[in-house]
Structure formats: C-alpha cells, structure tokens
C-alpha cells in the first residue's frame, strides 16, 4: 500500500486533497444555505470538467514549455487569433487554418528563443503584442461577425459518447502528451533540456530543435483550445484568451511542475487544472464578490506551494 | 580613460535605449504643432510617470534574478487606497500620502518574505500575491471613484509655476529666477529626478543594494562572500513595492480618483517587463539598473506618442492609422528586445549561450 502511494506524484496527491477540501467546504455552505449538496452532484461535476477541458488543453501545452524552463506569454492572442481567423475563413478549412496559425506562432516563438536567445518571457510577450496588433488590423477592433463552423461546434459541444466531445478531446490529447513525455526520445530531451541545456547539448542533442518543438506544442494546444472555445460560444471575440494565461500557469505550477523546468508530471497538471476551475466555480456559486475571489485564489496558490513547492536554500 | 571605456561598455543597453528615446522623441516633437513647449512636456511626463515608476519597481527584483508580476496590482492597490485617503486638511493629505507609500512598501515586503522564507519561485509568488492585491483593491474601491485633493492634483500635474499661483508662494509676484527658470519645469519630471536621486541612488550604493546585484550575478558566490542574502532580497522587493506605490499614488493624483482596473494593472506589469529589458537590465539579473528602466519606459511611451502626430495625408500617413498602431507597437517592441540577440552572433563558444 505504501509502495503504491509512493509511486503517486506527491503534489498530485496534495492537490487532490485540496480539491476534496474545496468541495467539502462548498458542500457545507450549500447544505446550510440551500439545503442541497450541489457540489457533489454528478451533473455539476461533469459540467465543471467540461469547462475545465479548455483550460486543461491550454495548460497541457504550457506545461511542455515550462518543463523546458521557459514560459509562453503569447498564449492569449494565439488562442484568440486562431479562433478569429478560423471563424472568419469558415468552411472545411477553418480548423486546419486555425491550427496553422498556432504552428506558425510556435515556430516564431521557438526561433526567437532557441536561435536569437531572447528570454522567452519577453520574446513571447512581443509576439503576443504583434498578434494582437494583427487582429486589430484585420477586424478593426471589433468582434468578428462570422460564427463558428459546424465541426467546431460539434467538437466543443456534441456528445455522441454521452460525455461532451471537449472532454474526450482533452482526454485523447492527454494520453498523447503523456506518451510523448514518458515514452519517446523527444520527451526525454524535453526534461533533459529543462534540467541543464548545456549538458543536453554536449550529449549530442539538438536542443534548439527541442526548444522550437516545445513552443510549437504549446501554441498548437492554445490554438486548438481557441477553436474549441469558439465552438462552445459559437463565435470568436477579442481578448477571449486573456482569462486563460494566468490560470494555465497556476494550474501547471500547482500541479507540481517546477517553474524552472526539468521536473513535473502530467497528472499534476490535470489535477491542477481541475483544482483551479473548481475553486473559481465554488467561489462564484457561494456568491463571493470578485474581491474575495481574487484574494482566496491567490492565497490558495501560495498555501499549496508552501506545502510542497519549496526550493532548497542556496548554500555556496 | 580606461575607466570611462569600461563604464561605457557596461551600459551599452542603457545608451542604446537613450539613443532610441532621443530619436523617437525628436521625431515626435518636431512633428507636433506645439512641440518643444512646456505644455507638451507637462502632458507627456504626466502620461509617462506611472509606467516609469512601475518599470523602476520591476527593475529591483529583476536585478536579483527574480521577477515581480505584482507591480501592476501593487500600483492599483495604492491607487485605490489613495482615492480614500488623500483629501481633506493638509495634515490628512500628508498622512494619507505616507500611508499609501507605506502600504506599497509593505506589499513588496510581503512578496519578499514569501520569496525568502517560503522559498517559492518569485514569478509564481508574485502571480498569486498579485491576485490578492487586486482583491484588496476591489474591496477598497468596488466601483471607480473616490476623491483626491484638487489643489494637489493640479500642482503635481503641471509646471512648477502653478505651485505659486495655487499656494501663493510669492505674494509679491514671482522673482525672475522662478518665473523664467524653475517655474517652467514640469513637476512630474522634478518628482522623477527626486525619486531617482533620493531613493534609487542611495539604495543602489548601500551594501544591501550592491548585494542585489551580487545575488543576481551568482547567488552561491554572494552567499559564500558573507553577504546577507535574505536582507538584500527583502529590500529588493520592498523598494520595488515603494516604487510601485509612487506610481499608484501619481495615477490617483493624475486621474483624481481610484479605479481597481484589472486589465490595466496587467498591462502595466507586462509593459514594465518590456521597459526593463529595453533599458538594458538583464532578465537573468546582475546587471542594469532602474535608471535604464526609466529610459526604457520613456521609449515605450514615445513610441505611442509618435503615432499621434503623423500627418494622415503625408508619406508616413499609414502610420497614423489607428488600426495599424497596435501592430507597429508590437513589432517595435519585438525588434527592441531582439537587439540583445546581437551577442548570439559574437560568441566564440556556443556553450556560453546556455546560461
């Protein structure tokens, strides 16, 4: 039994504990005020997982970049640009073109970080500003009038399997990502590069390619999430991605991935995503004002990291 | 001579930024119909003050190799606090200002404590505390509003001459040295110089301040040399909070109200990072300084100033198109931060790239 527990990622376990605590606190609240246990009803939980799928896909891509010891701040407008262009193009090419934009942004980010060696935090910030500018130029600063195509709406809201397609897509993507991270050479290279790029380079690995690959995965995930969100709300709009950047980083870090790179498991990111989404949802059901929500949100992240995210002190 | 050359080579980034600013601002002023006048200086310095302060706030933690994503939220927090405190009798105003500055420094100190004693990465600590600060701002000011003393607002956002007309410094008429000299200087610029000279430079030259540079260069070596790492880091975040408080206070004075604007505070945080990098401070820590970030922020601001003055019918008319401005700003930002990439083509050993 203890062997099994040891195999489970410790941050994942603690994050699960926090999820249970949040649900318990929320349930006590609803039992007292409304006499019903909304938060542990399956319909509510399924609904939350459906919403979590969008953040989960963004966080999955972000995790790959964080594992490399980098960060991608261009996610908001990669997401929005893909969705806006895809809905504007329409027809059968909507989804491929949307993903194509993600691919292009990822390559641009990767080239800037891997070849020009500009710190990723600032380079992706610049790319984000350029994308925003492009979208303002193309749309005149208004939400585009065109709406999502049928396949996009189906991907986001259809339920042929009884559960929403977005959840199925998230699950498939997760399986692919876990396979890539743990069972393929490129996965090993990602962890190695995140740990110490110089050593990885000296081992004969093309770390520049690994960096570009990581940024491409992240941008593809972001643009895919953009297509799904556009399908879910049936249209694309300005700044639709802004609310996903910081929660995605928080989900990755709360899930135990080291922000300096090289350490972390995908299961942690999934649990972190669910934790963030549940926390936001429970606080809004409890009719907590925005001010209180922000404060609790911040305090929970700090509390969780104090439990397991601590670095070693520097001693020479 | 050798010393001078060394100093110049150490501040290439700052000099580049300064050159960029001079070029951009010259373009702006020569195209502006009222360019090179006190009115335009006053207006521009008002628009730049908060960003400059937030960028200087960002610089100090970055020098230690950290980062502070809560500079925007701290600015917003002080902005909301000031809209509740800075009005009434002169005594109340002065106490209000002091409380606001102390609140900013305290917020920064809390960041520092979590970074130093909690041993969590600064980027994620300040991400979380930023949310907390925004929450507190929303408590203090759920809807935009509040009140700032009108006279204070008027004199701080104008030329020095208004000090005389508002507070009656010279009942017998202003002497020549005031009316034609100091009186023509914009107050925000004087405040900036005062903050740089009386806050930043003394801090930089203390053992604690030098420790910030040492930690950014090599934390292990700094520890082995007997520097008090905890104190330097705590001081870095606290001074950062103080600078952010100056920015928030000025924003409140300038707008005469408080506003817990979350997108605005996020924008300030991101622009402050850009300003720090353009000003020649390394994001890895250890080199640069707040003066560079001051110039970096001015570069960012003068880019947006420039777009206002291009003649729509002239050869550069397309630059005046408001729909194209965001993309030009983005491209210029990207180019400016890529200037540092020049070193990639100069390295002799590719291993030295992997820092």
């Amino acid at each position: 039994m203890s062997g099994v527990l040891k195999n489970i990622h410790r941050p994942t376990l603690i994050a699960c504990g926090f999820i249970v605590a949040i649900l318990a606190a929320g349930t006590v609240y609803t039992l007292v005020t409304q006499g019903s246990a909304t938060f542990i009803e399956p319909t509510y939980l399924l609904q939350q997982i459906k919403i979590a799928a969008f953040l989960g896909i963004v966080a999955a891509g972000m995790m790959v970049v964080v594992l490399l010891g980098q960060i991608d701040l261009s996610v908001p407008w990669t997401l929005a640009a893909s969705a806006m262009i895809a809905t504007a193009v329409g027809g059968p090419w909507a989804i491929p073109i949307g993903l194509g934009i993600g691919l292009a942004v990822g390559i641009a980010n990767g080239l800037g970080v891997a070849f020009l060696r500009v710190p990723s935090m600032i380079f992706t910030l610049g790319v984000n500003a350029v994308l925003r500018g492009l979208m303002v130029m193309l749309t005149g600063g208004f939400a585009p009038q065109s709406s999502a195509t049928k396949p996009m709406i189906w991907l986001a809201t259809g339920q042929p399997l009884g559960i929403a397609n977005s959840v199925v897509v998230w699950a498939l993507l997760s399986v692919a990502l876990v396979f890539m991270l743990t069972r393929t050479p490129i996965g090993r290279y990602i962890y190695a590069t995140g740990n110490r790029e110089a050593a990885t380079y000296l081992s004969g690995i093309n770390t520049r390619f690994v960096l570009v690959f990581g940024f491409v995965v992240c941008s593809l995930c972001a643009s895919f999430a953009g297509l799904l969100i556009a399908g879910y709300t049936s249209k694309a709009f300005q700044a639709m991605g802004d609310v996903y950047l910081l929660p995605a980083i928080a989900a990755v870090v709360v899930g135990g991935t080291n922000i300096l790179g090289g350490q972390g498991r995908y299961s942690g990111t999934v649990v972190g995503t669910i934790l963030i989404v549940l926390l936001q949802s429970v606080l809004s059901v409890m009719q907590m004002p925005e001010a209180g929500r922000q404060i609790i949100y911040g305090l929970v992240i700090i509390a969780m990291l104090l439990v397991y995210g601590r670095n070693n002190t520097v001693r020479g | 001579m050798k010393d001078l050359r060394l100093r110049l080579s150490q501040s290439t980034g700052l000099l580049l930024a300064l050159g960029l600013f001079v070029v951009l601002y010259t373009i702006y002023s020569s195209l502006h119909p009222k360019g090179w006048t006190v009115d335009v200086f006053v207006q521009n310095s008002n628009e730049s003050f908060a960003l400059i302060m937030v960028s200087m706030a960002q610089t100090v933690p970055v020098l230690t190799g950290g980062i502070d994503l809560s500079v925007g939220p701290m600015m917003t927090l002080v902005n909301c606090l000031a809209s509740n405190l800075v009005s009434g009798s002169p005594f109340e105003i002065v106490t209000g200002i002091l409380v606001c500055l102390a609140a900013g420094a305290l917020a920064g100190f809390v960041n520092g404590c979590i970074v130093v004693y909690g041993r969590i990465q600064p980027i994620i600590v300040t991400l979380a505390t930023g949310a907390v600060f925004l929450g507190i701002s929303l408590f203090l000011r759920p809807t935009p509003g509040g009140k700032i003393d009108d006279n204070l607002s008027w004199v701080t956002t104008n030329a020095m001459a208004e000090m005389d007309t508002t507070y009656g410094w010279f009942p017998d008429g202003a002497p020549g040295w005031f009316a034609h000299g100091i009186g023509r200087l914009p107050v925000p610029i004087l405040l900036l110089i005062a903050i740089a000279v009386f806050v930043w430079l003394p801090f930089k030259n203390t053992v604690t301040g030098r420790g910030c540079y040492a930690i950014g260069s090599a934390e292990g070596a700094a520890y082995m040399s007997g520097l008090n790492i905890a104190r330097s880091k705590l001081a870095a975040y606290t001074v950062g909070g103080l600078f952010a408080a100056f920015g928030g206070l000025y924003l409140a004075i300038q707008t005469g109200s408080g506003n817990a604007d979350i997108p605005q505070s996020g924008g300030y945080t991101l622009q402050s990072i850009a300003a720090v990098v353009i000003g020649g401070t390394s994001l890895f820590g250890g080199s640069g300084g707040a003066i560079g970030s001051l110039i970096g922020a001015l570069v960012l601001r003068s880019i947006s100033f420039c777009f206002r003055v291009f003649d729509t019918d002239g050869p550069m008319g397309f630059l005046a198109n408001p729909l194209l401005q965001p993309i030009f700003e983005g491209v210029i930002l990207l180019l400016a931060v890529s200037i540092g990439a020049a070193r990639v083509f100069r390295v002799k050993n590719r291993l030295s790239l992997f820092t």
Side-chain angles (χ1 to χ4, degrees):
Chain A
M1 183 61 202
S2 66
V4 176
L5 271 183
K6 228 177 233 168
N7 255 333
I8 299 177
H9 193 211
R10 189 163 158 260
T12 309
L13 212 60
I14 297 172
C16 283
F18 265 85
I19 290 180
V20 174
I22 290 169
L23 285 179
T27 306
V28 169
Y29 175 82
T30 51
L31 276 179
V32 171
T33 54
Q34 297 152 15
S36 64
T38 323
F39 292 123
I40 47 176
E41 281 167 14
T43 44
Y44 170 81
L45 291 175
L46 272 178
Q47 174 67 22
Q48 292 311 306
I49 293 195
K50 205 163 116 188
I51 295 171
F54 307 128
L55 179 61
I57 292 170
V58 177
M62 183 65 83
M63 183 196 174
V64 175
V65 172
V66 171
L67 278 178
L68 284 166
Q70 312 286 343
I71 199 154
D72 187 351
L73 301 183
S74 70
V75 158
W77 281 93
T78 311
L79 192 156
S82 303
M84 289 165 91
I85 304 262
T87 54
V89 169
W93 285 100
I95 294 180
I97 287 185
L99 291 178
I101 288 170
L103 181 72
V105 174
I107 291 176
N109 281 337
L111 292 180
V113 174
F115 288 85
L116 296 180
R117 292 281 151 187
V118 182
S120 57
M121 177 172 278
I122 188 75
F123 193 83
T124 54
L125 188 65
V127 169
N128 193 45
V130 171
L131 285 172
R132 179 174 155 264
L134 269 176
M135 288 305 114
V136 171
M137 184 176 83
L138 293 176
T139 62
F142 300 104
Q145 291 303 310
S146 48
S147 61
T149 60
K150 287 236 165 65
M152 283 159 71
I153 296 176
W154 181 81
L155 264 180
T157 58
Q159 334 201 333
L161 302 173
I163 39 174
N165 275 338
S166 59
V167 181
V168 178
V169 168
W170 184 26
L172 290 177
L173 186 98
S174 301
V175 171
L177 207 64
V178 169
F179 181 79
M180 184 195 83
L181 285 177
T182 56
R183 294 280 179 270
T184 61
I186 188 81
R188 301 277 166 189
Y189 300 162
I190 287 174
Y191 279 94
T193 307
N195 264 312
R196 196 163 284 267
E197 190 174 355
T200 316
Y201 171 73
L202 288 176
S203 315
I205 292 159
N206 185 350
T207 56
R208 287 175 169 174
F209 171 76
V210 178
L211 283 171
V212 175
F213 180 82
F215 277 98
V216 166
V217 170
C218 182
S219 295
L220 277 179
C221 284
S223 64
F224 193 54
L227 298 180
L228 287 180
I229 297 165
Y232 187 73
T233 55
S234 78
K235 61 187 295 198
F237 45 94
Q238 302 274 343
M240 63 193 282
D242 289 2
V243 291
Y244 285 93
L245 175 65
L246 296 186
I249 300 175
V252 170
V253 175
V254 159
T257 303
N258 187 341
I259 194 87
L260 299 179
Q263 279 172 32
R265 286 209 211 166
Y266 185 71
S267 60
T269 303
V270 174
V271 177
T273 306
I274 296 174
L275 188 145
I276 300 277
V277 169
L278 274 182
L279 183 62
Q280 287 175 342
S281 158
V282 167
L283 290 177
S284 70
V285 171
M286 288 166 80
Q287 291 171 348
M288 178 72 71
E290 172 75 12
R293 260 189 273 174
Q294 293 274 352
I295 294 177
I296 295 178
Y297 183 61
L299 290 182
V300 165
I301 294 176
I302 292 181
M304 295 203 53
L305 291 174
L306 281 176
V307 176
Y308 59 75
R310 290 157 65 97
N311 300 325
N312 299 323
T313 41
V314 170
R315 288 289 177 266
Chain B
M1 186 63 203
K2 203 175 168 189
D3 187 49
L4 183 70
R5 196 172 291 163
L6 181 72
R7 278 180 181 275
L8 282 181
S9 74
Q10 276 176 342
S11 44
T12 337
L14 192 153
L15 292 175
L16 265 175
L18 192 61
L20 203 56
F21 166 64
V22 169
V23 169
L24 286 168
Y25 199 74
T26 310
I27 295 177
Y28 167 75
S29 296
S30 25
L31 288 176
H32 195 292
K34 288 177 73 185
W36 308 116
T37 60
V38 176
D39 291 348
V40 177
F41 284 140
V42 167
Q43 190 201 350
N44 291 344
S45 48
N46 276 333
E47 285 173 280
S48 315
F49 195 93
L51 181 65
I52 290 176
M53 278 302 125
V54 172
S55 306
M56 289 171 81
Q58 181 72 267
T59 317
V60 201
V62 166
L63 283 176
T64 69
I67 195 154
D68 190 345
L69 296 185
S70 70
V71 283
M74 286 195 286
M75 180 196 80
T76 306
L77 173 64
V78 173
N79 175 232
C80 295
L81 192 62
S83 69
N84 285 322
L85 294 179
V86 185
S87 56
S89 69
F91 176 74
E92 283 173 329
I93 293 176
V94 172
T95 339
I97 290 177
L98 291 179
V99 170
C100 284
L101 295 180
L106 178 70
F109 182 71
V110 170
N111 279 338
C113 282
I114 303 176
V115 168
V116 171
Y117 300 112
R119 306 205 302 269
I120 309 176
Q121 277 304 315
I123 179 172
I124 200 74
V125 170
T126 52
L127 186 72
T129 54
V132 175
F133 297 151
L134 284 177
I136 301 175
S137 320
L138 281 167
F139 262 125
L140 291 171
R141 190 135 304 285
T143 50
K147 177 155 174 49
I148 301 286
D149 184 69
D150 288 331
N151 283 344
L152 181 71
S153 285
W154 178 251
V155 296
T156 358
T157 54
N158 269 294
M160 274 302 272
E162 298 300 331
M163 287 276 187
D164 173 31
T165 44
T166 310
Y167 291 126
W169 277 5
F170 304 106
D172 316 325
W177 59 266
F178 186 82
H180 302 292
I182 296 175
R184 297 167 67 99
L185 292 172
V187 177
I189 294 185
L190 294 178
L191 285 175
L192 262 185
I193 297 174
I195 292 171
V197 172
F198 295 113
V199 180
W200 167 247
L201 290 183
F203 172 75
K204 184 187 165 189
N205 290 321
T206 57
V207 176
T208 312
R210 293 207 168 277
C212 294
Y213 282 84
I215 294 171
S217 294
E219 190 165 349
Y223 174 78
M224 293 306 274
S225 315
L227 288 173
N228 190 335
I229 290 188
R231 190 169 63 193
S232 283
K233 279 193 177 176
L234 282 175
Y237 287 91
T238 311
V239 170
L242 182 64
F243 280 133
F246 280 121
L249 193 57
Y250 195 83
L251 205 59
I253 288 173
Q254 187 195 352
T255 58
S257 65
N259 182 4
D261 186 340
I262 295 181
Q264 184 200 41
S265 85
Y268 268 96
T269 306
L270 295 182
Q271 285 205 312
S272 76
I273 303 175
V276 164
V277 173
I278 293 175
T281 301
S282 161
L283 275 186
F284 301 109
S287 73
I291 305 296
S293 307
L294 190 161
I295 313 266
L298 285 174
V299 170
L300 285 181
R301 273 291 185 255
S302 40
I303 292 173
S304 28
F305 292 158
C306 274
F307 288 121
R308 294 186 201 153
V309 290
F310 286 122
D311 184 8
T312 35
D313 302 324
M316 303 284 270
F318 68 97
L319 286 176
N321 186 341
L323 291 182
L324 295 181
Q325 285 174 17
I327 187 162
F328 288 130
E329 287 184 27
V331 169
I332 293 174
L333 173 65
L334 205 55
L335 289 180
V337 299
S338 301
I339 290 173
R343 79 181 174 108
V344 172
F345 304 105
R346 282 203 308 259
V347 292
K348 298 193 175 73
N349 181 348
R350 207 197 278 180
L351 263 183
S352 58
L353 284 179
F354 306 127
T355 40

